Amino acid sequence: MLPYSLLYPQTNTARRAVKLDGMWKFSLDPQTQGEREGWPQGLPTQERIPVPASFQDFFTDKDTREYAGDFWYEIKFFLPREWAGKRLFLRFGSVTHRAVVYCNGVEVARHQGGFLPFCADITAAARLDQENTLVVKANNELTETNIPCGRTITLKNGKKMAKPYFDFFNYAGIHRSVHLLALPQASIQDVSLSFALEERAAQVRYTVDCAPGCTVALSLLDAQGNLAASGEGAEGVLTVKEPRLWGVRDPYLYRLVVTLFQGDQLADQYTLETGIRTVEVRGAQILLNGKPVYLKGFGKHEDSDLFGRGFNPAALKRDFELMKWMGANSFRTSHYPYAEEVYQMADREGFLVIDEVPAVGMFESLMNFFDATTGKQSGFFGKETTPQLLQAHLQAVEEMIARDKNHPCVMAWSLFNEPETTNENAVPYFEQVFARARELDPQQRPRTFALIGNSTPETCKCVQLSDFVCLNRYYGWYNQGGYEISDAEENFRKEMDGWKARGLHRPFVFTEYGGDTLSSEHKLPSVMWSQEYQREALEMLHRVFDSYDFVQGEQVWNFADFQTGEGIMRVNGNKKGVFTRQRQPKDAAFLLKARWESIPHTGWEKSPRAQQGE
């Protein structure tokens, strides 16, 4: 079995999955004394905090909130005697940013990367019909050899401090559910699906990764439980006649039941929800099921009060209801893969998702959101440590695609956010990452990355690798804000003319645009930070979007205000949200709602417009 779990946990006739979420023991370890003092056997503290959640926002002291270094968790769990003969695993949805796992004092797993799942085989270390002790040592220090990138410094008082090269708070902890799994000795390890549409049928190609010497049977059931197709063998094609397709804001989900047999005995079973649909880029359009789709939506963050970056089902429900109210149809998982439950909800609600690997901070700057707009260059990919970083990056791409490849909501892979691309050193690095993503994805989805402000038509060395181009642009905010907004619009059009002249002949999507706004501020005439100015800036940006037919999407930054580190450019966080952090609308929400409700979710083709320079 791979060191990360490919299949979301479920309980059925062959499998058992028990959540270990709840109150766990917790301790910081600023002196790195845990191993010396036997903490893998159990923690001496009585402090407890919730799992899943970030640890930083529960306490009232600043040292805990800003803590960088090792920290530990512990919980005890009971293993029933009935699980004898099963293979036993612990599955962590994510631990940020690295983890060592101990079961009854025995190390059973290590993992680096804070936003994707991994598994620990505890079959040998666990004790049946007894209480077992699970201990996790985690670490949240930032480096230039892991993603997201940054560095960790030591203050004069001896305390460590994270210095991100990215503009969101370095929340850490056990951020997603922990499952105790009991699997059969012969099990289904992975399922991969791809689709082809015919005039009145769909071909569902499948591959099942399973134990050798077993036989596989598959049943595809429609939403009413009727058999739509069936097949046998570890790989093959299911033909679905008159299929109901999965569509944007019009989803239809089938259930694929995969059953594994040893002889005539059922060995394992797994049920996968899936939607039949195709995604492709053709010319300057993004096509879903052969029809053009214009992306309307958000860059988001997993960020909420108290939970931090921890999975919060209440915030998940509220966010989707607000996105539906807005007339949105898409979002990007900026700047890391989200909890699997987010994708499950997007599958059910019919939202398109640009799934982003945690490759953020690849521009050496503590204020990259500002430095890049002034033309700073960092030559990030020409360092001695770059090969080590590349391996971590490729591993994260592999884990993300393995986890998310079967979700109908996932329309594309975003492989970087705002990297340095003005230096030739970036090219071979990018080529390897893009090639690996294509190799891993059975559905051959489009691949892209989000371009920072200094990646212009004249300077970017890597844009040609993208199947569609994602631009993060802040004209009217970091560039010529306030009364200079008329110059901002002129310069924005000049850049767009440059992209047109480059002749890439592919869709452009704005994956970030907007400006900070305090929900308390109103002023006429407008000033920056007022709600009136946020509306004016969005109206200007939309005018430019509408002037270019190759612009095929807009995802405003950000869905909601979110936490960042301290700084003179941030007022207790980033305030670019269309909603407050408490998920209440700012004035801009109503402007965007009116605009997006006037644009169909699919089938909309921009009418030809007189374009700048023609």
Side-chain angles (χ1 to χ4, degrees), residues 89-372:
F89 295 90
L90 291 164
R91 185 187 192 266
F92 294 82
S94 72
V95 181
T96 307
H97 293 285
R98 54 195 62 83
V100 183
V101 181
Y102 302 90
C103 180
N104 298 324
V106 178
E107 181 181 324
V108 289
R110 287 177 178 255
H111 185 258
Q112 179 168 268
F115 301 95
L116 288 157
F118 65 96
C119 255
D121 188 337
I122 61 169
T123 308
R127 298 188 285 259
L128 288 172
D129 209 27
Q130 295 183 49
E131 187 176 70
N132 293 261
T133 300
L134 167 60
V135 173
V136 179
K137 183 183 81 167
N139 181 280
N140 67 341
E141 294 178 54
L142 298 176
T143 71
E144 292 188 350
T145 58
N146 189 34
I147 52 176
C149 297
R151 64 177 187 262
T152 303
I153 66 169
T154 301
L155 303 177
K156 292 181 179 179
N157 60 13
K159 296 174 182 176
K160 293 179 181 178
M161 181 180 180
K163 288 286 190 178
Y165 295 166
F166 48 87
D167 185 34
F168 53 93
F169 194 76
N170 187 39
Y171 279 120
I174 300 178
H175 278 156
R176 298 168 192 161
S177 291
V178 181
H179 286 86
L180 177 63
L181 305 179
L183 303 181
Q185 291 292 333
S187 64
I188 300 162
Q189 296 182 23
D190 191 20
V191 181
S192 298
L193 302 175
S194 62
F195 310 99
L197 301 183
E198 300 175 352
E199 186 174 349
R200 303 187 68 176
Q203 301 296 327
V204 181
R205 182 171 297 279
Y206 68 86
T207 303
V208 178
D209 184 5
C210 60
C214 296
T215 58
V216 180
L218 301 95
S219 299
L220 187 69
L221 308 178
D222 66 17
Q224 288 72 45
N226 301 312
L227 184 67
S230 62
E232 295 182 352
E235 58 181 307
V237 178
L238 305 178
T239 300
V240 183
K241 297 180 179 179
E242 304 290 349
R244 281 283 305 275
L245 300 183
W246 186 95
V248 181
R249 298 293 302 276
D250 182 29
Y252 187 89
L253 295 176
Y254 290 84
R255 287 188 301 127
L256 179 67
V257 181
V258 184
T259 307
L260 192 68
F261 292 94
Q262 281 186 310
D264 58 357
Q265 297 295 311
L266 187 149
D268 193 13
Q269 191 171 80
Y270 192 83
T271 300
L272 179 72
E273 281 194 325
T274 188
I276 297 174
R277 60 97 188 92
T278 60
V279 180
E280 63 177 311
V281 170
R282 189 184 303 161
Q285 290 183 322
I286 300 169
L287 302 180
L288 181 77
N289 301 327
K291 295 182 179 179
V293 58
Y294 186 87
L295 302 183
K296 309 172 293 179
F298 300 94
K300 292 182 89 276
H301 265 297
E302 287 186 305
D303 175 278
S304 62
D305 284 336
L306 302 181
F307 285 79
R309 192 138 292 117
F311 176 63
N312 182 343
L316 172 67
K317 176 63 176 175
R318 175 67 172 178
D319 287 2
F320 271 88
E321 291 304 311
L322 290 174
M323 288 192 293
K324 289 190 290 183
W325 174 78
M326 290 280 291
N329 65 12
S330 65
F331 60 91
R332 177 173 60 127
T333 67
S334 41
H335 298 300
Y336 38 81
Y338 290 176
E340 289 151 287
E341 293 82 358
V342 177
Y343 302 79
Q344 294 165 4
M345 180 76 87
D347 289 341
R348 291 191 294 269
E349 298 286 1
F351 279 79
L352 289 171
V353 175
I354 300 175
D355 201 4
E356 189 160 270
V357 76
V360 60
M362 293 179 161
F363 182 97
E364 189 176 345
S365 169
L366 301 179
M367 294 177 64
N368 62 326
F369 53 89
F370 181 78
D371 286 339

Side-chain angles (χ1 to χ4, degrees), residues 385-496:
T385 55
T386 297
Q388 188 176 349
L389 174 64
L390 176 61
Q391 291 310 306
H393 194 162
L394 292 172
Q395 180 66 30
V397 170
E398 180 176 340
E399 293 181 15
M400 177 180 71
I401 295 178
R403 192 194 72 168
D404 298 338
K405 63 181 181 291
N406 292 321
H407 286 286
C409 68
V410 176
M411 60 158 289
W413 309 113
S414 177
L415 303 176
F416 301 78
N417 178 73
E418 298 190 342
E420 169 63 82
T421 66
T422 63
N423 191 291
E424 291 289 348
N425 288 325
V427 176
Y429 187 107
F430 273 63
E431 288 175 341
Q432 291 183 71
V433 173
F434 270 78
R436 186 63 174 146
R438 176 53 53 89
E439 177 185 351
L440 291 166
D441 181 17
Q443 296 183 20
Q444 302 291 282
R445 291 171 178 86
R447 302 152 301 161
T448 188
F449 72 98
L451 277 68
I452 200 168
N454 72 337
S455 295
T456 68
E458 298 76 28
T459 63
C460 186
K461 310 293 186 185
C462 301
V463 66
Q464 69 280 358
L465 297 171
S466 289
D467 296 307
F468 64 94
V469 179
C470 292
L471 296 182
N472 294 355
R473 291 297 182 266
Y474 289 99
Y475 288 96
W477 188 250
Y478 298 126
N479 304 78
Q480 297 92 38
Y483 193 50
E484 296 180 74
I485 195 170
S486 58
D487 283 357
E489 180 170 358
E490 184 175 329
N491 289 332
F492 190 9
R493 290 183 183 276
K494 182 179 179 182
E495 181 186 346
M496 294 304 293

